[in-house]
Amino acid sequence: MSGVLSGPTIAEALARPHNAFSGLRLALALMVVVSHAFSVVSGNPLDEPLARATGFSLGEHAVNGFFAVSGFLVTMSYDRRGWRDYVIARTLRILPGLVAATLAVSLLLGGALTRLPLGEYYASPELWRFVRGTLLSFKSNASLPGLFEANPFRSPLGTVWTLKYETICYAGVLAIGLLGLLRRRWAVPALTVALALSLGLLEAVRPEMSKGTETALRLPLIFAAGACLYLWRDSVRLTPWPLLVLAAALLLHGHAPARTLLFLGESYAAIWLAFLPPLARPALDPPADLSYGVYLYGWPIQQSLHALWPAASALALLTPALLLAGLVAAASWYAVEKPALRLKARALGRRTLGTIEPAGP
């Protein structure tokens, strides 16, 4: 009982030879695909069962977990490498996969499924606006000419919007690191508290706040909470008791500060799961890191399946969507992401090969 009450510190768990970060990220990516199965078909995100029960869809809960894990691992990446290596590592982990996905979806998938003649499609300014908007501003609601016109949503890359927030958080780590504030144990916790208080106050005075406002506070808050857990790894112990915050959030559902408590509880839960001994086994570690590819390609695959078989139900399309997302993610990993990681290893030196490398949601 005392072991359950005390638990290892995060630093002690991090020193173990195995953890569940890779498997957890893949599970979170698959959760996003499962969640989108409903909204892609109906056009209503509230049709996803968990959305009405908790106020957030399964996909949103998964994105919360992604940002907590990313805050933890990206802060660790900066702490171990310094700013130059950090910038190279972040760029080579995120950008090649995004460029490949944008070109594959716009040039190959769009060309295959557009109702327009191919010459007209490839000459369309809308096509090239889509490529520029996706790569330069992570625009996820843009459409391609003649593609998915009968679908409830026309966007072919509907998940890339989170990469905007991920990039902002990366830049935040870089700025805080360059200012020397990562070495001051109070700085990131102070930022986390400020974000939590801001969101909690908005919950109280403006419970009808827009989704955009909530997201702009929610994702940086969760990322910062994950960063705090890394920076305080020598002091924070891994026990199940902080998960009671999630129970409090459910009990307060619909009342302030339920959402803020939910986000903080999920931040801790993601890191706790990543170090949970039954999950942190080599046998459960995926042989390839498919999470980023599943996250990027799941949506266009689901959009394509619905366009081809519009009468099929969400559940009928889910299994083929998961299988195809896994296959395309594997192609992305072996053809694009893994070679980019080898390039990164050569650029940074062999010392980086053992560092856990997160990819953005």
Side-chain angles (χ1 to χ4, degrees):
M1 183 68 175
S2 60
V4 173
L5 291 173
S6 59
T9 65
I10 291 177
E12 291 168 343
L14 196 56
R16 295 170 182 163
H18 301 288
N19 57 65
F21 279 111
S22 295
L24 178 60
R25 289 200 304 265
L26 179 57
L28 293 171
L30 293 171
M31 286 164 59
V32 171
V33 177
V34 171
S35 178
H36 286 160
F38 299 90
S39 56
V40 162
V41 169
S42 72
N44 183 5
L46 291 179
D47 285 345
E48 201 261 39
L50 206 58
R52 297 186 187 276
T54 68
F56 296 91
S57 68
L58 179 65
E60 289 174 308
H61 289 297
V63 167
N64 292 348
F66 264 126
F67 269 77
V69 168
S70 185
F72 185 95
L73 295 180
V74 168
T75 303
M76 180 174 69
S77 175
Y78 185 97
D79 183 50
R80 291 183 174 183
R81 289 198 171 105
W83 76 267
R84 291 181 182 85
D85 286 2
Y86 170 83
V87 170
I88 294 172
R90 293 296 86 230
T91 301
L92 289 178
R93 186 62 187 101
I94 296 298
L95 193 57
L98 175 63
V99 171
T102 302
L103 296 179
V105 167
S106 59
L107 301 182
L108 300 180
L109 180 67
L113 295 184
T114 182
R115 64 168 180 79
L116 302 179
L118 283 182
E120 183 179 343
Y121 176 79
Y122 288 121
S124 171
E126 188 180 356
L127 166 63
W128 303 108
R129 281 198 301 269
F130 172 86
V131 173
R132 287 194 303 270
T134 302
L135 295 180
L136 297 180
S137 61
F138 307 111
K139 191 175 181 180
S140 62
N141 60 353
S143 59
L144 286 168
L147 186 67
F148 303 146
E149 291 180 326
N151 284 14
F153 299 108
R154 286 201 59 197
S155 54
L157 273 174
T159 58
V160 297
W161 66 270
T162 61
L163 296 181
K164 174 179 69 176
Y165 290 98
E166 187 84 4
T167 302
I168 291 170
C169 291
Y170 290 174
V173 171
L174 178 62
I176 291 171
L178 288 173
L179 292 171
L181 295 177
L182 284 183
R183 301 297 181 184
R184 298 182 182 273
R185 289 167 65 86
W186 56 266
V188 177
L191 174 62
T192 306
V193 169
L195 289 168
L197 290 176
S198 299
L199 184 57
L201 181 62
L202 273 176
E203 278 192 82
V205 301
R206 284 184 53 199
E208 74 289 349
M209 76 178 90
S210 70
K211 199 70 170 178
T213 299
E214 179 188 78
T215 300
L217 288 169
R218 159 189 150 222
L219 297 183
L221 167 62
I222 294 170
F223 187 97
C228 281
L229 290 173
Y230 172 74
L231 294 171
W232 284 75
R233 61 195 180 279
D234 293 320
S235 304
V236 177
R237 293 191 173 274
L238 292 165
T239 75
W241 299 113
L243 300 179
L244 292 175
V245 173
L246 293 175
L250 292 175
L251 290 174
L252 288 171
H253 179 57
H255 304 279
R259 282 176 277 184
T260 303
L261 292 176
L262 175 69
F263 304 149
L264 291 173
E266 288 184 329
S267 301
Y268 176 84
I271 306 306
W272 178 74
L273 284 171
F275 289 115
L276 196 64
L279 300 180
R281 298 178 178 180
L284 299 179
D285 201 25
D289 188 355
L290 304 185
S291 58
Y292 191 32
V294 168
Y295 184 81
L296 286 176
Y297 290 101
W299 178 273
I301 286 170
Q302 290 175 294
Q303 285 277 72
S304 302
L305 290 174
H306 181 59
L308 293 170
W309 293 281
S313 69
L315 292 179
L317 295 178
L318 179 57
T319 297
L322 289 170
L323 291 174
L324 287 171
L327 289 173
V328 177
S332 174
W333 170 253
Y334 288 109
V336 179
E337 298 169 59
K338 190 175 181 180
L341 288 181
R342 285 199 295 264
L343 177 62
K344 175 181 67 66
R346 288 196 296 271
L348 304 184
R350 304 292 294 182
R351 67 188 183 281
T352 65
L353 290 178
T355 303
I356 303 167
E357 275 304 317

